[in-house]
Amino acid sequence: MQESEQALEDASAGESLRESRIASRVLEDSKMHRLWEARHAELVRPVAEQSKRDPQIFELRRLEAKLLHRCSLIDFIRRNKIKGRRRDRLFKAFYGPRDIIDAILIEHRQYVLAGSSHLSADHLLGVMQDSTSIEHLRQYKVAYSNYFSLYCFFACSQDTVMANAVG
């Protein structure tokens, strides 16, 4: 956990605005920080339970993929500047009949928590000097982002002909 905490501290003072904002939100809000600590400890437990480097790396890769999936909805919305009714349709696809504002707040909190754990997991891969994992995860992120974009297009499309062509 010390390495994870240090990763957040470093990110909060780093050059990446996105990473700095995520880390700062966790570090500056005591309630969010406690929640992050509890969830992050649970997420990295499978890594810590491994006594050898290679199994630890495999667990970190699995964790990174899980966190990438968790951050995908907000990343998609930001990257594509989704607003208004289209955004509402997208949240309905993921959250069903839940109130849109509640769904947005829940998703954003989950995004901040997962994003901060992602920063920490990236840091751990760097500490382990595992350039292979970093490259594999970069490639996976591109592939998953393309898949997720198609899924979201389908989920929030009003044009049933187009949606059926994609789906």
Side-chain angles (χ1 to χ4, degrees), residues 30-81:
S30 61
K31 183 178 175 183
M32 181 73 90
H33 189 261
R34 283 190 306 276
L35 182 58
W36 174 78
E37 280 183 317
R39 288 189 180 185
H40 185 71
E42 192 63 34
L43 288 171
V44 296
R45 185 178 328 281
V47 177
E49 288 173 347
Q50 302 301 320
S51 59
K52 297 191 189 264
R53 182 179 186 273
D54 286 347
Q56 285 180 331
I57 287 172
F58 292 135
E59 288 299 330
L60 273 172
R61 288 178 186 173
R62 187 183 339 262
L63 173 58
E64 287 270 32
K66 184 182 207 177
L67 295 169
L68 170 69
H69 296 171
R70 190 67 205 103
C71 292
S72 292
L73 182 56
I74 297 294
D75 284 340
F76 174 79
I77 289 169
R78 287 186 174 158
R79 189 173 48 254
N80 294 286
K81 298 177 174 75

Side-chain angles (χ1 to χ4, degrees), residues 93-112:
F94 283 92
Y95 283 88
R98 181 175 285 220
D99 178 71
I100 293 297
I101 300 301
D102 286 345
I104 291 168
L105 292 172
I106 289 167
E107 187 65 26
H108 188 264
R109 183 179 71 188
Q110 297 304 323
Y111 174 81
V112 170

